[in-house]
């Protein structure tokens, strides 16, 4: 007979303040690059963060895809919908109950033409480094976006 036990659920586990600060610094760099029109740096950052296991062809393809999306977002009205990023606010911090190593920050970006919701998900690896695990953005109405079921997870 084998005696196997599962890890106990610690419902009080929350991300460490240092992890949260590191995540905010990552997002700040992303938004600063966006404001400064360093769109390629953001595309490179995302590919380097998410694509560690991708082959070089996929990395190039994804980098170009992110860069193209950022260029479209940056198109000034009336050619585009969003234009320059003026500022941003952190509007939600969420985590998975029982985990201090996976959490989410949601920001609203104020572009000259409209707003975009940006969602960053972070993972703390075995070296205790905060890494970007997912990034996405939505043009949904912020009130609708924030009321979806997955956005109602525990907050800290």
């Amino acid at each position: 007979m084998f005696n196997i036990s599962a890890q106990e659920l610690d419902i009080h586990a929350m991300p460490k303040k240092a992890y949260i600060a590191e995540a905010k610094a990552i997002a700040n760099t992303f938004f600063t690059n966006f404001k400064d029109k360093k769109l390629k740096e953001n595309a490179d950052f995302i590919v380097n963060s998410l694509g560690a296991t991708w082959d070089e062809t996929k990395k190039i393809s994804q980098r170009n895809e992110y860069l193209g999306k950022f260029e479209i977002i940056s198109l000034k009205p009336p050619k585009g919908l969003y234009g320059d990023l003026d500022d941003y606010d952190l509007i939600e911090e969420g985590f998975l109950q029982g985990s201090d190593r996976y959490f989410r920050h949601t920001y609203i970006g104020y572009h000259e033409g409209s707003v975009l919701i940006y969602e960053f998900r972070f993972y703390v690896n075995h070296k205790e480094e905060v890494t970007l695990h997912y990034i996405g953005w939505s043009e949904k109405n912020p009130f609708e976006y924030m009321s979806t079921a997955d956005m109602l997870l525990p907050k800290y």
Side-chain angles (χ1 to χ4, degrees):
M1 282 256 163
F2 294 104
N3 187 8
I4 300 174
S5 64
Q7 182 177 337
E8 293 292 323
L9 173 64
D10 178 3
I11 60 171
H12 303 292
M14 290 177 50
K16 295 177 183 174
K17 289 182 182 184
Y19 298 162
I20 295 168
E22 176 91 20
K24 288 178 180 178
I26 289 169
N28 182 58
T29 299
F30 174 85
F31 288 119
T32 299
N33 283 346
F34 217 111
K35 282 182 177 182
D36 295 341
K37 305 278 194 248
K38 295 180 180 176
L39 306 179
K40 185 178 182 315
E41 283 83 345
N42 277 352
D44 287 339
F45 168 71
I46 293 170
V47 168
N48 292 336
S49 296
L50 305 180
T53 60
W54 298 344
D55 64 32
E56 203 56 38
T57 303
K58 183 170 181 174
K59 285 182 180 181
I60 292 168
S61 170
Q62 290 296 306
R63 182 178 293 113
N64 290 338
E65 190 173 318
Y66 280 113
L67 182 57
K69 289 177 181 179
F70 294 151
E71 288 171 344
I72 289 170
I73 290 171
S74 294
L75 283 175
K76 293 177 169 283
K79 291 182 180 179
L81 296 175
Y82 301 101
D84 292 337
L85 177 67
D86 294 324
D87 208 356
Y88 62 95
D89 287 326
L90 177 63
I91 58 173
E92 188 266 347
E93 297 177 309
F95 66 100
L96 295 173
Q97 192 172 32
S99 173
D100 63 348
R101 296 178 49 184
Y102 195 80
F103 56 98
R104 170 184 65 212
H105 288 176
T106 307
Y107 292 83
I108 186 167
Y110 305 104
H111 294 264
E112 65 182 299
S114 189
V115 297
L116 277 176
I117 302 296
Y118 293 88
E119 184 177 327
F120 296 77
R121 296 182 197 156
F122 299 100
Y123 168 63
V124 181
N125 66 20
H126 69 285
K127 297 177 185 175
E128 294 198 30
E129 300 167 330
V130 177
T131 61
L132 182 67
H133 188 252
Y134 167 86
I135 185 172
W137 50 92
S138 174
E139 52 192 40
K140 269 186 159 181
N141 174 316
F143 295 104
E144 290 172 15
Y145 187 87
M146 296 307 293
S147 66
T148 59
D150 69 318
M151 295 306 290
L152 299 175
L153 287 172
K155 295 165 178 49
Y156 47 84

